Amino acid sequence: MIREVNLKLELLVLPVSDVDRSRAFYEKAGFRLDLAADITEDYRVVHLTPPGSEASIIFGHGLTTAAPDRLRACTSSSRTYKRPARTWSAVESR
């Protein structure tokens, strides 16, 4: 049995060098602020969503080991993938 699986991008982690400057840029561009939290001195999170989008971005301090400002391009397309229907185990979903 084959079933269609609609894959969607929901969250993109952006490596940034200046959290405040990045937040100001995206808010000025019309992104909605969903969360801004200083969890600890080494962990800060900013979560924003573009207008009308189901996907969002997250950046901050301590979120990723990627070098700041190294994301060069991100493209997406709308595709529907077909794969055999089956039951997924907890091990497979990792």
Side-chain angles (χ1 to χ4, degrees), residues 85-89 92:
R86 67 183 202 159
T87 305
W88 293 88
S89 71
E92 292 172 322

Side-chain angles (χ1 to χ4, degrees), residues 9-94:
L9 176 68
E10 291 186 13
L11 183 68
L12 181 63
V13 178
L14 300 178
V16 299
S17 57
D18 187 326
V19 176
D20 293 321
R21 194 172 113 220
S22 298
R23 176 180 171 181
F25 171 82
Y26 286 107
E27 286 184 314
K28 187 175 182 179
F31 283 54
R32 179 187 72 234
L33 179 64
D34 298 313
L35 173 71
D38 296 335
I39 309 300
T40 68
E41 186 177 308
D42 297 324
Y43 192 74
R44 181 177 179 196
V45 178
V46 177
H47 180 239
L48 299 125
T49 302
S53 179
E54 293 180 19
S56 58
I57 60 171
I58 189 170
F59 55 84
H61 181 69
L63 293 176
T64 179
T65 58
D69 305 321
R70 300 314 294 170
L71 186 64
R72 294 287 182 216
C74 182
T75 60
S76 66
S77 62
S78 215
R79 293 184 182 171
T80 300
Y81 296 92
K82 292 186 177 184
R83 71 156 120 315
R86 67 183 202 159
T87 305
W88 293 88
S89 71
V91 173
E92 292 172 322
S93 65
R94 286 186 199 167

